[in-house]
Amino acid sequence: MAIAPVIEERSGCGRGARVAARLMRWFMRPLVSRLPWTPLTLRFAPLLDLGAVLLVPPRGTKLTKVKGLGCAAEWVRGPGVPADSRGVILYFHGGGFVACGLRTHRRMIARISQAAGMPVLSVAYRMQPRVTIQTTIEDCVAAYRWLLETHAADDVVIAGDSAGGYLAFMAPIHALRDGLPRPAGIAALSPFADLDIDVKIAHVNAPLDPFIPAPRMWDMVRTCFPGAELTDPWLSPVHADLSALPPTLIQAGAIEVIRADAELMAERLGAADVPCTLQLWEGQAHVFQIFADISREGLLAIKEIGAFARRVTTADTQPQAA
């Protein structure tokens, strides 16, 4: 018998979030609408991570570079988080599979680490169009495999935002196929989960989203998933066998177009008897948690992620002050 997902509608949208959404609608959405997805343009997309050098993590954050993986990675310990915590979070950043990295997400990840009371392994997987999406997924599975050398699967939560939310689902799906044990939980922030962009174009949020113009997402799919069947279960989370996945937390902004993916993914998880909580945050845009400096709701959502990570792991950790 299917398990109905728990849907929590979080009310309240503060001034900071409203201002951020307005600025995105004025500046970011027009830019995204016009920016061409050409090989030349995409060559410079990774430079966005270099430009994020000013996004410093909270004071007291500890960073440690990781070697031995096929891609860049680092340990992030938020203020007050012990190095010997049993519980860990494996995090995949967003950026449309072509941009962002360790620097763009370091501040938010440090806050997630602090809220959970456990360190986070942040992975800068190799991106398109330099490698195939299969290689990207393999990087994420390899990071999970590496983590299992020192941690029990019951102590690992896999998380990610946007494209990283996609990978937070696909990495364990492929890892389970390879015989690896399932992680303790999955936390997905505004996850991209359905390769069919027409579903998002038809969603009521398509004209409301202040950041993502839904039709442009077809460019991402054509570039990052060339020739793929939209229903391929090894490439599309909503069409995969989800029955072996662990308890899942999904957070999405109530006005973002990716809400369509979040709702469908929650529905499919429930149909597969996987416990899932879907939180829809009033007035919030795509990956609003990254705007926690100006959005009270972003901080609250991060606290929820931390509480979820503690709840699903066997880790003997204590909640940290945010």
Side-chain angles (χ1 to χ4, degrees):
M1 184 176 179
I3 301 174
V6 177
I7 300 177
E8 300 177 351
E9 296 188 3
R10 298 304 178 91
S11 61
C13 180
R15 181 179 180 184
R18 293 196 301 271
V19 169
R22 191 174 297 119
L23 291 175
M24 281 190 288
R25 180 172 293 279
W26 289 346
F27 299 107
M28 292 304 299
R29 179 163 174 144
L31 178 63
V32 175
S33 296
R34 294 172 174 81
L35 195 65
W37 277 69
T38 65
L40 178 61
T41 302
L42 295 179
R43 285 185 60 185
F44 295 98
L47 296 178
L48 180 61
D49 190 51
L50 295 177
V53 67
L54 298 179
L55 294 176
V56 296
R59 180 174 298 180
T61 299
K62 305 296 183 183
L63 304 174
T64 306
K65 290 184 178 180
V66 171
K67 298 181 179 180
L69 294 175
C71 57
E74 66 182 13
W75 282 108
V76 180
R77 285 192 290 122
V81 174
D84 58 352
S85 166
R86 285 176 57 191
V88 294
I89 297 173
L90 174 60
Y91 198 94
F92 306 126
H93 68 81
F97 302 101
V98 299
C100 298
L102 301 179
R103 296 178 183 85
T104 54
H105 284 63
R106 193 174 281 156
R107 188 170 179 84
M108 180 179 71
I109 288 173
R111 285 190 166 121
I112 291 174
S113 170
Q114 184 181 22
M118 57 186 73
V120 178
L121 177 61
S122 177
V123 176
Y125 50 85
R126 288 172 288 178
M127 295 185 288
Q128 287 71 60
R130 291 168 176 79
V131 299
T132 64
I133 188 64
Q134 289 83 1
T135 297
T136 297
I137 295 172
E138 289 169 5
D139 280 351
C140 297
V141 174
Y144 181 52
R145 190 188 303 273
W146 180 84
L147 201 53
L148 292 179
E149 294 179 5
T150 53
H151 294 80
D154 286 344
D155 293 330
V156 179
V157 173
I158 299 182
D161 64 276
S162 195
Y166 166 93
L167 295 167
F169 288 118
M170 293 312 296
I173 288 171
H174 283 251
L176 289 165
R177 181 192 63 178
D178 294 346
L180 298 177
R182 79 173 191 175
I186 296 172
L189 290 60
S190 301
F192 174 71
D194 185 2
L195 273 60
D196 187 354
I197 305 304
D198 284 342
V199 175
K200 286 170 270 294
I201 293 173
H203 195 273
V204 66
N205 279 0
L208 301 178
D209 192 307
F211 176 46
I212 301 176
R216 290 309 308 272
M217 297 186 73
W218 273 124
D219 293 319
M220 181 187 73
V221 171
R222 283 189 287 265
T223 299
C224 302
F225 301 84
E229 291 289 336
L230 301 184
T231 58
D232 185 339
W234 296 109
L235 289 178
S236 176
V238 297
H239 294 288
D241 179 1
L242 307 175
S243 59
L245 291 186
T248 298
L249 170 67
I250 300 176
Q251 294 180 337
I255 63 171
E256 66 168 313
V257 74
I258 293 293
R259 174 177 176 170
D261 290 35
E263 292 172 328
L264 181 56
M265 193 66 193
E267 176 186 318
R268 297 288 169 85
L269 285 165
D273 293 330
V274 176
C276 175
T277 298
L278 170 62
Q279 296 179 346
L280 299 173
W281 293 73
E282 179 185 357
Q284 301 300 319
H286 189 60
V287 194
F288 64 95
Q289 300 87 344
I290 209 163
F291 301 110
D293 286 294
I294 61 173
S295 169
R296 174 178 175 271
E297 295 78 24
L299 287 174
L300 293 175
I302 287 172
K303 287 183 179 180
E304 295 276 2
I305 297 167
F308 170 80
R310 294 194 305 273
R311 187 166 62 250
V312 298
T313 61
T314 60
D316 182 18
T317 56
Q318 297 295 322
Q320 303 292 314

